[in-house]
Amino acid sequence: MSKTGIDQDALIEMFATASAKGTEQVRKAVGDATLAALQGRELSLKNIRAVLKTVAQAASTGAAQNAVAGVDPEDLLDKAVAGMDDALVKAVEANRVALQQFVNQGADLREKHLKKALADLEAMEDTFIGALRKATEAAGAQANAQWAPVLEKLQAGGTLSGQKAATTAEQFVNQMQTAMRDSRAAGMKAAQTLAESYAALVSGVLIGMSDAMAQAGSGAAAAKKSRAK
């Protein structure tokens, strides 16, 4: 059992003995193992990277040992990547739900920890591909040759988890901008209301002053008339 909580020996055995018909089972088993490992720790990029690297190394070792007729090592590695991707899609969804709860409770997405969460989402795909590259570099020439076309396809087409992470981050950034616009609009409306009140206040004072002046004027005229008699 590795530090990430993954039974590498069991994964290696599965890859080494997988038949051509059993590659879908490989995908599911990798997805389940990856998800279980991610659930058992803080969902940071560092931990995600460590789990992916561990799974990829087991896949490399097992695929290299597979001597079953009709099995394509590249197909096995493709299924390994798809399984890891499936687990990361769920991890992204967990991030989205958590962020939405914070926002619903009035948290500001500009707050440091939430800004980091958004940055981590945006970096999810690079973390995924980077972890696979590190694992293959450490696995030797044969694994490098097997992984090369898999990584090439991944680099060109991207990952489902990467797309979902980018969409989720964009959604929250837009939400943050809308909230800022709304608060700015609310601020402007409050200022406008205050300005209107002020204008009304000034108008009331002015009317009062006019009335006072008019009364003073009529009083002075009456006194003048009285003196003239």
Side-chain angles (χ1 to χ4, degrees):
M1 189 75 73
S2 73
K3 283 191 292 186
T4 55
I6 289 172
D7 188 341
Q8 277 179 294
D9 291 338
L11 277 181
I12 290 168
E13 177 70 15
M14 181 186 66
F15 278 96
T17 58
S19 66
K21 290 180 180 176
T23 52
E24 270 308 318
Q25 291 170 322
V26 166
R27 174 177 182 162
K28 185 178 185 317
V30 167
D32 290 347
T34 306
L35 187 60
L38 292 175
Q39 286 169 334
R41 63 201 58 252
E42 182 193 348
L43 210 56
S44 65
L45 285 185
K46 182 184 175 185
N47 285 333
I48 288 171
R49 198 178 290 115
V51 167
L52 295 176
K53 192 176 169 190
T54 302
V55 175
Q57 283 170 340
S60 291
T61 305
Q65 292 173 7
N66 191 302
V68 179
V71 171
D72 178 5
E74 186 186 323
D75 187 40
L76 272 180
L77 296 178
D78 268 332
K79 289 296 187 286
V81 169
M84 288 184 265
D85 201 13
D86 292 342
L88 280 186
V89 166
K90 292 183 174 70
V92 170
E93 177 60 15
N95 264 297
R96 187 196 68 75
V97 171
L99 276 169
Q100 192 60 60
Q101 284 177 351
F102 276 115
V103 171
N104 290 348
Q105 289 164 13
D108 187 342
L109 285 167
R110 288 166 292 177
E111 199 267 326
K112 186 174 71 173
H113 298 296
L114 298 186
K115 273 176 79 173
K116 185 181 182 306
L118 288 175
D120 284 358
L121 279 173
E122 288 171 338
M124 190 70 77
E125 184 159 283
D126 287 343
T127 299
F128 188 178
I129 296 172
L132 295 183
R133 286 199 185 284
K134 285 275 187 193
T136 56
E137 283 166 13
Q142 184 186 354
N144 264 321
Q146 289 176 343
W147 274 102
V150 177
L151 287 172
E152 202 173 309
K153 277 190 289 186
L154 202 57
Q155 196 82 54
T159 63
L160 289 175
S161 55
Q163 290 166 20
K164 185 174 176 62
T167 303
T168 301
E170 187 181 353
Q171 172 199 332
F172 280 102
V173 167
N174 289 340
Q175 206 168 324
M176 180 172 71
Q177 288 170 344
T178 303
M180 285 169 68
R181 277 199 303 271
D182 288 349
S183 66
R184 207 163 37 235
M188 286 171 69
K189 191 172 180 184
Q192 188 182 353
T193 304
L194 187 63
E196 286 168 357
S197 301
Y198 179 73
L201 179 65
V202 172
S203 178
V205 171
L206 188 58
I207 289 167
M209 285 171 64
S210 298
D211 286 348
M213 286 168 68
Q215 284 172 6
S218 61
K224 189 176 180 184
K225 194 173 180 182
S226 172
R227 281 198 301 275
K229 284 178 184 178

